[in-house]
Amino acid sequence: FVASLRLFPFFGLSSRKMATERLADGRAAVADLNAALDSAGEVGLHNIVKSMQDYPMAEPVLQEICPAVSVPIQEADLPCTFRDAAAYMRQAGNEDAEHVHSELEHMTALDQCAEKAQTWINMLYSYRGKSRTFPPITDSNKESKHAIYSKELEILAPSIADLQSMYRDTLASISVVCKEMSILLIQKKRQESWNEDRLWRLLALLDKIFILDSLKNMKASINNDLASYKRAQQVLAMESSSREAVVAQQMQDMEFYTFIAEKDRTLKTLRDSVMKVKEGNLTYLWVIGELLKLCVTHAKATWTGVEVVESKAPLLPEHRHSIFRLMPLGIVLLGTDPKDVKDIMHDKGAGKEVQLAKTIQQTMEWICKRPVCHVVGDMQAAALNTLHLAPWFAELLEPNFKDLTQPTALSSDRALKIGSRYALAAHLSDMRSKNQELLISLHQLQLSLSAAPASASGVSISNPDLTPAGIYALILRALSAISHWKCLVLRQTSWKCCRPKNVQDNTEVLEYEKVLRLNHNGDEWDVLVEAISMIKGMSGMVKTLEARVAPIIRVHLHSVTQELVQNGMTPMIKHGTKHKKKAITDMLVLLRQIAADWQGGREPDNQPEMSGKSGGADRVIVARRVGPSDTQMALMRSMINRVVAHAEKNKGGMFSTDELKKDDCELLRKWVTATWNYDAAARLGTLVEVASDLSDLYLREFYLEMTKAIQFPISASLPWILASHAIKDDRAGQSIAESALFPLEIYNDASARALGVLKQRHIYLEIEAEVQICVSQLLDLAARRIYAHYRLRAAAILYPGAVKGGGPKEDARLQQLLRLSAMQILGRRVEVATELGGKVAEMLRRSQQVAVMRFEAKGLCRVRELAALYRMAALTHRLMQADGVMLPEFADTWAEVVEALNVCAVGGRLIKQCVAELSANFLPSMVFSELSRTFTEGNVDFVAMAGREEEESHLRKMEEEEGKAKHYLHLFGSKAVTDAVTKESLHTDSFGPAHAVDLIEVMGLENMGVLLQSISDLMQDRLSSGVLPFIEKLVPGLPRDTKLQSRKYGVDGLLQYFEAKLHDITHYPELKRGVFQYFRECGNLLCFVRLLEEGMSVGFANSTTLVRPAIGPEGRFAPAGVTHEAGGKVREALGV
């Protein structure tokens, strides 16, 4: 509507009339909707919401609520502008009203400067040098020099223009700071109290100036680009007629060039400007001292994470960090003269009235104990670097504070002591207890809200502990916890960055890896992952409640405010009127006019307190879902501050009463404290996103600038390190796999910040590219861990003696990860269950391929290993499918691996390999032992064996590509288990009855007919091509007189007789390598078929459903699954 109304002056009369009619219709529709909601119709709406909330969750909450990545649209009217302040000030010409309105104008100026400074902070942090991409001018391109410099000037001009705007805005901000200090000194001279809201805004602006100067010092590429810009200007000016104008412009911009080039120039300018602020005998030291006291007062609460429900401690992490950033800056702003500063530090001379000695001492103690603070992104600041700006530092501070050294120069003991204050592990126990307590309370609140009937006041809850005030306090506690945990994470990271890992060997390691990847141990990674999961889990819970809680918070603030202005201030006004305290009475009446929301919409005519009389009962407060606006809150705080200051300044004496009673002043202060964070709580969704924003853990512009790198590899990226560690690490059984997805939220935060805050598309594209790689590799890691877990479980079931400790147990946390159906990252939906199922299925298929390839490369004696791996794969598949992993049917996968899906293929891959192995290697080289009923390799080979070089080459190549660890995963889960199973259970150098049974199992009964047909063909081939031709040639060549001799010669005699007769035949050289080899192969083939028949009989004789169809025509038992034709071939092969 506001946007439409602004366009009205440009419309025609008919358009205005039409718009007016539509606006009236819209207002009527809104009125009808409000009436419906305030009546019983809201109950129906509530029931619909309740039914949606009561819908059972099918998956665990392992990720924060993730909105789509989008660029926020800037609002037309910013909250900090307070443009509607004049609408609440009805008493024109009233001194108090003008004073309060003036304070809001000054706060607006501070907010606007801070907002501009934040814009330049974002620009500086994301700035990347362009000059290093320019081609150097050489003899080869000398002729194109003019075109090159013109292009350089065109590319650099927008960046230089932004830098010049930043320079002007920075000087303007410094001017505003000095002006605010002057005004504060004027108020001090008038004995007026200072508005704490105003001091916090002044402190925030000083913090922005400090960050700007730190970023400018860090970005060396800015000076390089500026130098390239000046050089291109000069070169082009020499070739044009405007040389004098260019030189004059550069001389005019000399201050800007000095501002960019000189280190710490911004802070020095600020210091010199602030030192000039003076009003009479009051100097800038009063303001600096008050700011330092404000920092010291809230430092402990900020560092330890005291809840902000009943305090004025900063709520947001950025405001908490600013306290510690400004402590050293406040010390620097004390002055430049060592003598004056020494007097200030000892409350002498110029510092006698200010009394800052104790504050300075406390500030320096905080700095010495906590010398590092977070700045922005991956950038941190050491307090010592700031303190060095004071010219008197070496003379006054170093002798008194010897512990103050650079973080890299600390001794190991000192570094360990300070590092313990930054370590997350030291706070982990408190974080866990607080997280559990808050989650339980929030869950109870969610259940209560789901069961509570709706009302005009927003909610009606039967639980007395969940009043609107209690809900408001609970939400603030949750927000305070999220902010505190984020501060702890960033503090530890900043400390690690200030003390990089010292790498002893000569390996090339990135500087970024020294501060992150190599600078943490496994325990620290665990704690960091857990802290991130707490932050994102808590923020997700608060976001879930936002829609129901936000109206309750507004109702609470409205009722608290109205209770104060309508009922709480009644005795105050009565007291002031009765005792003729006109000044305080006017202030209180003005305060009431600012915020009062009277029943019926108008101020009551009968107000006894205005006549100094006692009234009746308390006024009825109308419950509304609209809390006080930002402007009203600021006006009320400013006015209350003025009222309390006036009351304390004009206390009564022996013959007069106080302006306000002590309890009344305390009531006003209590309201200010209770509503201090309402501005943030009113924007609950935005506040939660800001408080839980962990994009600083990804951004690395500082180290990219420092190392002159284009980008770092994914192995050095913190989100990848944390997520991969959570998936891979399982020390002492303490799995954190269920938290593996929470570190990926850092990418969501970083992408939103790149687009919405930094406004740099190239950073978002880098994040997007890394996310694509990261998600794919993380899913691979997760699938590998899941598969390894179930693979070892299967090995422990099949071979309990080979797996130590009985193998891995059921992992509930891993099963939670399996239950997660999808995740949101960069606004996209990743089907985790489907992706994991596909990758695990691929690994299962790969294991089956490995088993078959090892069988093909090692020979028929490896069939027991093939069967064992087949059983492992089948049991692994069954275990995973029972726990919900989405997998295809095992039989289909196995049929695909052995190439048995094609209807045109006869027998498949295993049948072909078995027949080929029998013909080429097994039958010619093996020897059958009747005693052990086992085939073993013979000592003498009469024919050359067929090689398996191609299969072995494929197997070796696959092992090299996957690595040994992954290859053992495809066998029996690990190297130790594989060695144990191979040594104890598998016989890979022989072939016996057990091998025959395993061969039947892996090939399947349905394929035995094909195998026996192939064996029959082999026997026929051996007989027809080798034995029968020899017999046909042997019969004519036998001696004619050869006959059986009398038995009186005995066995030896008869044997010697035939040896003599057949001497020439038996000593024929080719006989052993030819005919005898054929006899050997035929005998081996018969024994092999016999083992197969025994294996089928032993394994399946008890299957009554398969016996009858397997009875042959002669009544002899044939193995189950073998047709009559196949059974006849068995008997034919056996010679029966």
Side-chain angles (χ1 to χ4, degrees), residues 489-524:
V489 170
L490 295 182
R491 286 170 192 164
Q492 176 178 273
T493 306
S494 298
W495 174 253
K496 293 288 185 181
C497 290
C498 284
R499 287 185 58 82
K501 180 75 173 179
N502 186 15
V503 181
Q504 300 294 339
D505 52 10
N506 296 326
T507 57
E508 293 185 2
V509 180
L510 296 173
E511 190 68 25
Y512 192 61
E513 292 181 298
K514 292 180 182 179
V515 300
L516 286 182
R517 186 175 66 85
L518 301 177
N519 212 12
H520 293 74
N521 55 37
D523 293 333
E524 289 173 332

Tab-separated table of all heavy atoms in Angstrom, residues 489-524:
chain	number	residue	atom	x	y	z
A	489	VAL	N	32.851	-20.187	19.446
A	489	VAL	CA	33.414	-20.806	18.244
A	489	VAL	C	34.371	-19.850	17.535
A	489	VAL	O	35.487	-20.217	17.152
A	489	VAL	CB	32.279	-21.254	17.300
A	489	VAL	CG1	32.842	-21.662	15.940
A	489	VAL	CG2	31.499	-22.405	17.908
A	490	LEU	N	33.939	-18.600	17.358
A	490	LEU	CA	34.767	-17.632	16.646
A	490	LEU	C	36.005	-17.243	17.461
A	490	LEU	O	37.062	-16.973	16.898
A	490	LEU	CB	33.943	-16.393	16.306
A	490	LEU	CG	32.792	-16.618	15.320
A	490	LEU	CD1	32.069	-15.313	15.026
A	490	LEU	CD2	33.296	-17.239	14.022
A	491	ARG	N	35.876	-17.210	18.788
A	491	ARG	CA	37.042	-16.896	19.615
A	491	ARG	C	38.112	-17.978	19.496
A	491	ARG	O	39.301	-17.672	19.354
A	491	ARG	CB	36.620	-16.745	21.074
A	491	ARG	CG	35.863	-15.459	21.387
A	491	ARG	CD	35.298	-15.530	22.792
A	491	ARG	NE	34.329	-14.464	23.040
A	491	ARG	CZ	33.475	-14.463	24.048
A	491	ARG	NH1	33.459	-15.470	24.902
A	491	ARG	NH2	32.619	-13.467	24.206
A	492	GLN	N	37.690	-19.237	19.558
A	492	GLN	CA	38.675	-20.308	19.414
A	492	GLN	C	39.340	-20.262	18.042
A	492	GLN	O	40.556	-20.419	17.926
A	492	GLN	CB	38.007	-21.672	19.615
A	492	GLN	CG	38.968	-22.837	19.374
A	492	GLN	CD	38.324	-24.176	19.607
A	492	GLN	OE1	38.301	-24.672	20.716
A	492	GLN	NE2	37.808	-24.786	18.543
A	493	THR	N	38.545	-20.027	17.009
A	493	THR	CA	39.106	-19.951	15.657
A	493	THR	C	40.077	-18.781	15.540
A	493	THR	O	41.141	-18.900	14.917
A	493	THR	CB	37.974	-19.811	14.628
A	493	THR	OG1	37.040	-20.879	14.807
A	493	THR	CG2	38.521	-19.861	13.220
A	494	SER	N	39.737	-17.643	16.136
A	494	SER	CA	40.631	-16.481	16.084
A	494	SER	C	41.942	-16.775	16.807
A	494	SER	O	43.020	-16.388	16.344
A	494	SER	CB	39.943	-15.269	16.724
A	494	SER	OG	38.777	-14.913	16.019
A	495	TRP	N	41.857	-17.447	17.935
A	495	TRP	CA	43.077	-17.794	18.663
A	495	TRP	C	43.951	-18.749	17.844
A	495	TRP	O	45.178	-18.607	17.798
A	495	TRP	CB	42.718	-18.420	20.011
A	495	TRP	CG	43.899	-18.933	20.781
A	495	TRP	CD1	44.246	-20.234	20.985
A	495	TRP	CD2	44.911	-18.149	21.427
A	495	TRP	NE1	45.385	-20.323	21.714
A	495	TRP	CE2	45.819	-19.056	22.011
A	495	TRP	CE3	45.125	-16.785	21.566
A	495	TRP	CZ2	46.934	-18.622	22.732
A	495	TRP	CZ3	46.232	-16.363	22.291
A	495	TRP	CH2	47.123	-17.273	22.858
A	496	LYS	N	43.319	-19.716	17.204
A	496	LYS	CA	44.077	-20.644	16.365
A	496	LYS	C	44.733	-19.917	15.204
A	496	LYS	O	45.872	-20.229	14.821
A	496	LYS	CB	43.148	-21.739	15.832
A	496	LYS	CG	42.606	-22.675	16.892
A	496	LYS	CD	43.669	-23.609	17.421
A	496	LYS	CE	43.084	-24.626	18.383
A	496	LYS	NZ	44.113	-25.536	18.922
A	497	CYS	N	44.036	-18.934	14.642
A	497	CYS	CA	44.608	-18.193	13.516
A	497	CYS	C	45.803	-17.347	13.945
A	497	CYS	O	46.723	-17.125	13.152
A	497	CYS	CB	43.537	-17.308	12.877
A	497	CYS	SG	42.251	-18.210	11.994
A	498	CYS	N	45.789	-16.867	15.175
A	498	CYS	CA	46.902	-16.054	15.662
A	498	CYS	C	48.110	-16.898	16.064
A	498	CYS	O	49.199	-16.350	16.238
A	498	CYS	CB	46.450	-15.214	16.857
A	498	CYS	SG	45.451	-13.800	16.395
A	499	ARG	N	47.915	-18.183	16.243
A	499	ARG	CA	49.015	-19.078	16.588
A	499	ARG	C	49.027	-20.256	15.618
A	499	ARG	O	48.559	-21.366	15.939
A	499	ARG	CB	48.890	-19.573	18.023
A	499	ARG	CG	49.224	-18.513	19.068
A	499	ARG	CD	49.205	-19.106	20.463
A	499	ARG	NE	50.133	-20.208	20.608
A	499	ARG	CZ	51.448	-20.096	20.850
A	499	ARG	NH1	51.985	-18.880	20.948
A	499	ARG	NH2	52.222	-21.151	20.984
A	500	PRO	N	49.538	-20.046	14.403
A	500	PRO	CA	49.543	-21.131	13.413
A	500	PRO	C	50.463	-22.274	13.833
A	500	PRO	O	51.376	-22.102	14.627
A	500	PRO	CB	50.050	-20.443	12.138
A	500	PRO	CG	50.811	-19.263	12.623
A	500	PRO	CD	50.144	-18.817	13.888
A	501	LYS	N	50.187	-23.429	13.261
A	501	LYS	CA	50.964	-24.625	13.555
A	501	LYS	C	52.363	-24.492	12.969
A	501	LYS	O	52.545	-24.080	11.827
A	501	LYS	CB	50.273	-25.850	12.950
A	501	LYS	CG	50.983	-27.163	13.191
A	501	LYS	CD	50.810	-27.634	14.610
A	501	LYS	CE	51.374	-29.039	14.798
A	501	LYS	NZ	51.239	-29.511	16.185
A	502	ASN	N	53.337	-24.836	13.781
A	502	ASN	CA	54.725	-24.803	13.333
A	502	ASN	C	55.065	-26.140	12.689
A	502	ASN	O	55.203	-27.161	13.371
A	502	ASN	CB	55.654	-24.525	14.516
A	502	ASN	CG	57.100	-24.327	14.067
A	502	ASN	OD1	57.364	-24.116	12.884
A	502	ASN	ND2	58.024	-24.402	14.999
A	503	VAL	N	55.194	-26.155	11.368
A	503	VAL	CA	55.481	-27.384	10.624
A	503	VAL	C	56.991	-27.570	10.576
A	503	VAL	O	57.719	-26.729	10.048
A	503	VAL	CB	54.893	-27.317	9.201
A	503	VAL	CG1	55.170	-28.603	8.447
A	503	VAL	CG2	53.391	-27.061	9.280
A	504	GLN	N	57.483	-28.691	11.108
A	504	GLN	CA	58.920	-28.916	11.227
A	504	GLN	C	59.547	-29.377	9.922
A	504	GLN	O	60.632	-28.954	9.557
A	504	GLN	CB	59.196	-29.954	12.330
A	504	GLN	CG	58.687	-29.540	13.708
A	504	GLN	CD	59.439	-28.340	14.248
A	504	GLN	OE1	60.547	-28.034	13.835
A	504	GLN	NE2	58.804	-27.639	15.189
A	505	ASP	N	58.866	-30.288	9.222
A	505	ASP	CA	59.488	-30.832	8.007
A	505	ASP	C	59.436	-29.812	6.891
A	505	ASP	O	58.909	-28.716	7.020
A	505	ASP	CB	58.797	-32.129	7.582
A	505	ASP	CG	57.295	-31.948	7.473
A	505	ASP	OD1	56.844	-30.791	7.533
A	505	ASP	OD2	56.579	-32.947	7.340
A	506	ASN	N	59.997	-30.220	5.765
A	506	ASN	CA	60.128	-29.301	4.630
A	506	ASN	C	58.961	-29.405	3.646
A	506	ASN	O	59.064	-28.912	2.526
A	506	ASN	CB	61.440	-29.583	3.892
A	506	ASN	CG	62.651	-29.295	4.767
A	506	ASN	OD1	62.641	-28.376	5.583
A	506	ASN	ND2	63.699	-30.100	4.603
A	507	THR	N	57.901	-30.075	4.034
A	507	THR	CA	56.759	-30.199	3.133
A	507	THR	C	56.098	-28.836	2.920
A	507	THR	O	56.037	-28.012	3.828
A	507	THR	CB	55.722	-31.179	3.713
A	507	THR	OG1	55.339	-30.713	5.013
A	507	THR	CG2	56.317	-32.573	3.826
A	508	GLU	N	55.609	-28.638	1.722
A	508	GLU	CA	54.936	-27.388	1.392
A	508	GLU	C	53.500	-27.437	1.916
A	508	GLU	O	52.692	-28.244	1.474
A	508	GLU	CB	54.949	-27.171	-0.116
A	508	GLU	CG	56.356	-26.936	-0.682
A	508	GLU	CD	56.313	-26.595	-2.156
A	508	GLU	OE1	55.192	-26.511	-2.692
A	508	GLU	OE2	57.380	-26.419	-2.748
A	509	VAL	N	53.213	-26.583	2.864
A	509	VAL	CA	51.893	-26.522	3.483
A	509	VAL	C	51.366	-25.109	3.349
A	509	VAL	O	52.097	-24.134	3.572
A	509	VAL	CB	51.947	-26.934	4.972
A	509	VAL	CG1	50.561	-26.858	5.597
A	509	VAL	CG2	52.514	-28.325	5.119
A	510	LEU	N	50.108	-24.996	2.976
A	510	LEU	CA	49.498	-23.682	2.860
A	510	LEU	C	49.403	-23.009	4.229
A	510	LEU	O	49.206	-23.677	5.248
A	510	LEU	CB	48.097	-23.804	2.263
A	510	LEU	CG	47.994	-24.325	0.825
A	510	LEU	CD1	46.544	-24.545	0.453
A	510	LEU	CD2	48.653	-23.370	-0.146
A	511	GLU	N	49.558	-21.706	4.241
A	511	GLU	CA	49.432	-20.966	5.492
A	511	GLU	C	48.027	-21.132	6.079
A	511	GLU	O	47.863	-21.192	7.309
A	511	GLU	CB	49.726	-19.487	5.241
A	511	GLU	CG	49.871	-18.649	6.507
A	511	GLU	CD	51.111	-19.014	7.294
A	511	GLU	OE1	52.077	-19.532	6.699
A	511	GLU	OE2	51.092	-18.780	8.527
A	512	TYR	N	47.057	-21.244	5.217
A	512	TYR	CA	45.680	-21.440	5.684
A	512	TYR	C	45.519	-22.792	6.363
A	512	TYR	O	44.737	-22.938	7.303
A	512	TYR	CB	44.729	-21.330	4.488
A	512	TYR	CG	43.277	-21.222	4.855
A	512	TYR	CD1	42.804	-20.160	5.622
A	512	TYR	CD2	42.360	-22.169	4.422
A	512	TYR	CE1	41.463	-20.059	5.959
A	512	TYR	CE2	41.024	-22.066	4.734
A	512	TYR	CZ	40.580	-21.010	5.508
A	512	TYR	OH	39.251	-20.904	5.844
A	513	GLU	N	46.245	-23.795	5.898
A	513	GLU	CA	46.188	-25.108	6.539
A	513	GLU	C	46.878	-25.102	7.892
A	513	GLU	O	46.503	-25.851	8.797
A	513	GLU	CB	46.819	-26.159	5.633
A	513	GLU	CG	46.036	-26.445	4.370
A	513	GLU	CD	46.680	-27.510	3.517
A	513	GLU	OE1	47.825	-27.296	3.066
A	513	GLU	OE2	46.055	-28.562	3.294
A	514	LYS	N	47.887	-24.255	8.048
A	514	LYS	CA	48.594	-24.188	9.330
A	514	LYS	C	47.701	-23.648	10.446
A	514	LYS	O	47.880	-24.004	11.614
A	514	LYS	CB	49.835	-23.298	9.200
A	514	LYS	CG	50.928	-23.867	8.319
A	514	LYS	CD	52.113	-22.919	8.254
A	514	LYS	CE	53.199	-23.445	7.330
A	514	LYS	NZ	54.343	-22.509	7.245
A	515	VAL	N	46.755	-22.785	10.111
A	515	VAL	CA	45.914	-22.192	11.144
A	515	VAL	C	44.631	-22.992	11.375
A	515	VAL	O	43.988	-22.815	12.403
A	515	VAL	CB	45.560	-20.729	10.791
A	515	VAL	CG1	46.796	-19.893	10.676
A	515	VAL	CG2	44.743	-20.659	9.508
A	516	LEU	N	44.268	-23.867	10.432
A	516	LEU	CA	43.025	-24.616	10.603
A	516	LEU	C	43.250	-26.119	10.609
A	516	LEU	O	43.185	-26.764	11.647
A	516	LEU	CB	42.030	-24.231	9.500
A	516	LEU	CG	41.374	-22.855	9.627
A	516	LEU	CD1	40.393	-22.625	8.501
A	516	LEU	CD2	40.663	-22.710	10.956
A	517	ARG	N	43.544	-26.691	9.457
A	517	ARG	CA	43.577	-28.152	9.342
A	517	ARG	C	44.633	-28.785	10.235
A	517	ARG	O	44.382	-29.808	10.893
A	517	ARG	CB	43.821	-28.556	7.880
A	517	ARG	CG	43.715	-30.056	7.639
A	517	ARG	CD	43.833	-30.373	6.175
A	517	ARG	NE	45.142	-30.059	5.656
A	517	ARG	CZ	46.196	-30.879	5.722
A	517	ARG	NH1	46.075	-32.054	6.301
A	517	ARG	NH2	47.356	-30.541	5.208
A	518	LEU	N	45.822	-28.192	10.274
A	518	LEU	CA	46.904	-28.764	11.069
A	518	LEU	C	46.922	-28.257	12.503
A	518	LEU	O	47.716	-28.752	13.317
A	518	LEU	CB	48.249	-28.456	10.400
A	518	LEU	CG	48.428	-28.974	8.973
A	518	LEU	CD1	49.763	-28.540	8.418
A	518	LEU	CD2	48.292	-30.492	8.930
A	519	ASN	N	46.083	-27.281	12.809
A	519	ASN	CA	46.143	-26.618	14.111
A	519	ASN	C	45.096	-27.153	15.090
A	519	ASN	O	44.924	-26.586	16.169
A	519	ASN	CB	45.957	-25.106	13.939
A	519	ASN	CG	46.717	-24.312	14.975
A	519	ASN	OD1	47.563	-24.842	15.695
A	519	ASN	ND2	46.423	-23.038	15.075
A	520	HIS	N	44.363	-28.189	14.695
A	520	HIS	CA	43.360	-28.799	15.565
A	520	HIS	C	43.635	-30.291	15.663
A	520	HIS	O	44.082	-30.918	14.690
A	520	HIS	CB	41.943	-28.593	15.011
A	520	HIS	CG	41.473	-27.177	15.017
A	520	HIS	ND1	41.936	-26.235	14.111
A	520	HIS	CD2	40.577	-26.525	15.801
A	520	HIS	CE1	41.337	-25.067	14.345
A	520	HIS	NE2	40.511	-25.221	15.356
A	521	ASN	N	43.348	-30.859	16.812
A	521	ASN	CA	43.419	-32.308	16.956
A	521	ASN	C	42.012	-32.898	16.862
A	521	ASN	O	41.019	-32.174	16.716
A	521	ASN	CB	44.094	-32.697	18.277
A	521	ASN	CG	43.419	-32.066	19.488
A	521	ASN	OD1	42.195	-31.938	19.525
A	521	ASN	ND2	44.201	-31.662	20.472
A	522	GLY	N	41.930	-34.224	16.962
A	522	GLY	CA	40.640	-34.881	16.804
A	522	GLY	C	39.617	-34.460	17.828
A	522	GLY	O	38.430	-34.276	17.515
A	523	ASP	N	40.045	-34.276	19.081
A	523	ASP	CA	39.105	-33.857	20.124
A	523	ASP	C	38.553	-32.467	19.841
A	523	ASP	O	37.363	-32.200	20.065
A	523	ASP	CB	39.793	-33.876	21.490
A	523	ASP	CG	40.145	-35.290	21.930
A	523	ASP	OD1	39.454	-36.228	21.483
A	523	ASP	OD2	41.110	-35.454	22.702
A	524	GLU	N	39.405	-31.579	19.369
A	524	GLU	CA	38.941	-30.219	19.069
A	524	GLU	C	37.964	-30.218	17.897
A	524	GLU	O	36.995	-29.447	17.891
A	524	GLU	CB	40.138	-29.323	18.775
A	524	GLU	CG	40.976	-29.022	20.007
A	524	GLU	CD	42.250	-28.264	19.682
A	524	GLU	OE1	42.772	-28.418	18.553
A	524	GLU	OE2	42.740	-27.530	20.548
